[in-house]
Amino acid sequence: MKAITYSSYGPPDVLVLSDVDAPTPAADEVLIRVHAAEATKADCEMRSFHFSVKWFWLPLRLVMGVRRPRRQILGGYFCGEVVEVGHSVDQLAVGDLVYGSSQLQLGAYGEYLALPANYTLTPKPTNMSPTEAAAVPLGGLNALHFMRRANIRPGETMLINGAGGSIGLHAVQIAKSMGARVTAVDSAVKRDFVLGMGADRFIDYRTRDFTQEGKTYDIIFDMVPSSSYRACMRCLNQGGRYLAGNPRLSVMLRCLVTNWLGNKMATFAFAKETMEELQTLTTMIEAGKIKPIVDKVFPMAEATKAHRRVETEQRIGAVVLAIREQPPTLCLAKVSSTNR
Ligand SMILES: NC(=O)c1ccc[n+]([C@@H]2O[C@H](COP(=O)([O-])OP(=O)(O)OC[C@H]3O[C@@H](n4cnc5c(N)ncnc54)[C@H](OP(=O)(O)O)[C@@H]3O)[C@@H](O)[C@H]2O)c1
């Protein structure tokens, strides 16, 4: 099969279109023909091994491969069609169009992906195309996780810092559906799109610092690792909640101290990306509470361009790779697949 592979960490040019062995599903797995995969900020970070949050580096390097990537096919979030099921799988059937997360197995930048049927995998929303659905799981699962932890009460005020990214755009929509009044912070180019997703107010972080405005909020959801923790806490009302979506080690420690000492709550827990959360997202999408956030779709062969677009931050929404447009080519073996 065709896959976008990389055999060394580096710039977008390390991504190449290769022929690799197609995976064979085990008894508890399904084989998915991938239609589309989101090219995420996290994919770019794993490819380059540059993380804005530095403490990630060592544990992730040990997991991902010290000298070169162990799993050479990136892509954690996708939509595709089930084309084969293992004999002990009964919850999915051949022909089902599913979307979800391949978790640390990655592999969605390839034409075929074998995953345990009990992974975060469920039929895609009926009112989204495969391309649109592929752009949901990363942002949607992470945003839903944090919005639930925020314990939003209708009418509460919430500031989302980094609201124009994949996670932020879903957070804006989910927070609005839970009744929050949302102030979105991101760069000016994303203003109209973010307001179109339901945000009540927009701040361009390049020209204004929300922590210097004298306004306070019930909840702050912060996806920006360079934020000042102290300044954010000053912008929280009594009883307010601070959700650190991309925390530095020092912020994680300070969250613990805040919870212990003060009357504000701070949390940094990572999303578990559960099946229940994905099914909830499906219901919200089908009810019209979450809209598609696709910026641009690139053919699989242009993965390098897709990563550049994610990294140069010119995008307004999610960048998606169209995998299905390639003619299917099962069982070509030049590079052996290293994602199993
Ligand atoms: N906590 C978790 O469980 C979890 C899970 C997945 C991913 N992550 C991490 O979370 C990060 C964000 O994910 P994502 O996919 O949403 O990334 P993304 O799509 O790149 O979104 C980040 C957004 O923040 C904006 N931004 C940058 N600096 C800012 C600032 N100083 N103030 C306000 N906004 C700013 C960016 O805009 P510009 O155009 O100006 O750069 C961009 O729109 C990634 O680093 C990812 O690895 C965390």
Side-chain angles (χ1 to χ4, degrees), residues 1-3 19-20 22 33-35 83 110-112 300 323-332:
M1 67 169 189
K2 297 280 184 206
D19 293 319
V20 303
R33 181 163 181 216
V34 180
H35 287 208
V83 290
E111 285 179 310
Y112 293 90
M300 184 186 193
I323 308 289
R324 174 80 202 271
E325 280 174 17
Q326 301 290 319
T329 50
L330 262 173
C331 303
L332 284 169

Side-chain angles (χ1 to χ4, degrees), residues 38 40-43 45 51-53 56 77 138-139 142 145-146 160-169 185-190 203 205-206 210 221-227 244-247 268-273 310-315 317:
E38 183 178 350
T40 66
K41 183 63 147 300
D43 288 338
E45 291 168 340
F51 295 92
S52 43
V53 177
F56 249 49
Y77 303 92
L138 161 77
N142 283 283
H145 160 79
F146 280 105
I160 300 178
N161 199 22
S166 297
I167 298 174
L169 284 166
V185 185
D186 211 298
S187 55
V189 67
K190 300 173 193 175
I203 298 173
Y205 77 86
R206 293 176 198 251
F210 74 87
F221 177 39
D222 194 359
M223 292 307 301
V224 178
S226 57
S227 303
N246 208 3
F268 55 82
F270 293 96
K272 292 202 184 81
E273 304 195 339
V310 174
E311 288 184 333
T312 50
E313 298 295 359
Q314 294 308 300
R315 70 197 158 114

Side-chain angles (χ1 to χ4, degrees), residues 197-275:
M197 291 291 154
D200 300 284
R201 189 168 157 255
F202 186 89
I203 298 173
D204 172 11
Y205 77 86
R206 293 176 198 251
T207 56
R208 275 161 65 203
D209 178 352
F210 74 87
T211 66
Q212 300 299 318
E213 280 192 316
K215 283 196 190 318
T216 56
Y217 301 86
D218 298 311
I219 303 156
I220 295 178
F221 177 39
D222 194 359
M223 292 307 301
V224 178
S226 57
S227 303
S228 157
Y229 183 79
R230 184 197 290 247
C232 286
M233 294 313 283
R234 270 202 310 265
C235 292
L236 269 189
N237 294 329
Q238 296 301 320
R241 285 85 81 200
Y242 176 74
L243 310 155
N246 208 3
R248 301 188 306 272
L249 194 55
S250 62
V251 167
M252 292 163 77
L253 296 172
R254 291 173 84 174
C255 285
L256 298 175
V257 175
T258 299
N259 292 338
W260 189 45
L261 290 179
N263 58 6
K264 295 175 181 173
M265 190 274 272
T267 185
F268 55 82
F270 293 96
K272 292 202 184 81
E273 304 195 339
T274 67
M275 181 87 93

